[in-house]
């Protein structure tokens, strides 16, 4: 899963959920719209990806939708439902396009690289981390223990 390795390489926390149909995804979003990014195919069981995207965006415009499909002819329709990207399966530049797509989404949700210093009895330790805007660190007395708190990317 090279695609997931890219997220790990960037230091981005993520969780992954998979759905067997557009209706299943829409039903999930209706009860708990916690997803940040949704990757959709055009050809899906029950309702197609375009209709799925319309229904999800009717619930929230804050979700980034990426179409990953073999169907070129629906690309305009994909952008009409505010998809952030329309990626073609099997394209020779697919991996690079996907990485660019992830970078763009992270930029839009304002992920930044920060240096975080941890104070331990044995000394200080710096860590470079990518964290989203609104993410904060809280610690105990004298900064001996700090933990990351805040949102993560949900796919």
């Amino acid at each position: 899963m090279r695609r997931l390795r890219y997220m790990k390489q960037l230091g981005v926390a993520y969780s992954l959920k998979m759905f067997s149909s557009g209706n299943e995804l829409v039903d999930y979003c209706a009860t708990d719209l916690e997803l940040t990014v949704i990757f959709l195919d055009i050809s899906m069981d029950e309702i197609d990806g375009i209709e799925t995207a319309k229904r999800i965006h009717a619930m929230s415009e804050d979700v980034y939708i990426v179409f990953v499909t073999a169907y070129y002819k629906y690309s305009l329709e994909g952008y009409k439902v505010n998809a952030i990207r329309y990626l073609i399966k099997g394209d020779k530049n697919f991996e690079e396009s996907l990485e660019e797509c992830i970078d763009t989404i992270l930029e839009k949700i304002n992920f930044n690289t920060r240096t975080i210093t941890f104070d331990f009895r044995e000394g200080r330790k710096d860590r470079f981390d990518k964290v989203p805007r609104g993410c904060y660190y809280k610690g105990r007395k004298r900064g001996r223990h700090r933990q990351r708190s805040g949102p993560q990317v949900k796919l």
Side-chain angles (χ1 to χ4, degrees):
M1 295 286 265
R2 181 177 169 198
R3 295 165 191 112
L4 296 179
R5 276 187 289 199
Y6 185 66
M7 296 288 285
K8 288 179 185 177
Q9 176 187 339
L10 292 174
V12 176
Y14 66 90
S15 62
L16 181 68
K17 296 185 184 311
M18 298 181 76
F19 301 91
S20 60
S21 70
N23 275 339
E24 184 182 351
L25 172 59
V26 169
D27 290 345
Y28 175 82
C29 290
T31 60
D32 188 10
L33 189 56
E34 64 175 20
L35 302 173
T36 308
V37 182
I38 298 175
F39 291 89
L40 291 174
D41 198 340
I42 294 293
S43 178
M44 297 172 33
D45 291 340
E46 299 172 12
I47 59 173
D48 67 19
I50 299 292
E51 183 60 30
T52 301
K54 285 178 184 177
R55 291 182 186 185
I56 290 168
H57 273 162
M59 290 180 252
S60 173
E61 286 287 325
D62 295 331
V63 177
Y64 295 97
I65 294 182
V66 179
F67 283 102
V68 182
T69 187
Y71 299 98
Y72 288 95
K73 65 183 180 181
Y74 293 101
S75 60
L76 184 58
E77 292 299 313
Y79 288 111
K80 284 181 181 178
V81 295
N82 296 322
I84 192 160
R85 290 291 184 276
Y86 194 96
L87 306 177
I88 304 298
K89 292 178 187 176
D91 183 76
K92 66 180 181 175
N93 297 318
F94 180 80
E95 293 295 329
E96 293 82 13
S97 296
L98 181 61
E99 289 175 7
E100 182 276 332
C101 173
I102 291 169
D103 290 340
T104 299
I105 292 168
L106 293 176
E107 183 178 307
K108 286 188 177 289
I109 60 176
N110 200 18
F111 264 69
N112 298 304
T113 302
R114 296 183 186 165
T115 303
I116 301 151
T117 302
F118 295 90
D119 293 323
F120 297 100
R121 290 183 191 139
E122 299 81 18
R124 288 187 152 200
K125 175 80 175 162
D126 287 339
R127 178 166 177 215
F128 298 97
D129 204 4
K130 288 199 176 258
V131 294
R133 180 184 52 163
C135 186
Y136 63 93
Y137 289 82
K138 59 184 179 181
R140 290 191 226 157
K141 293 181 183 176
R142 294 189 213 92
R144 291 193 189 278
H145 174 74
R146 295 181 184 148
Q147 78 183 38
R148 188 169 135 175
S149 177
Q152 65 176 348
V153 176
K154 301 207 179 216
L155 308 170

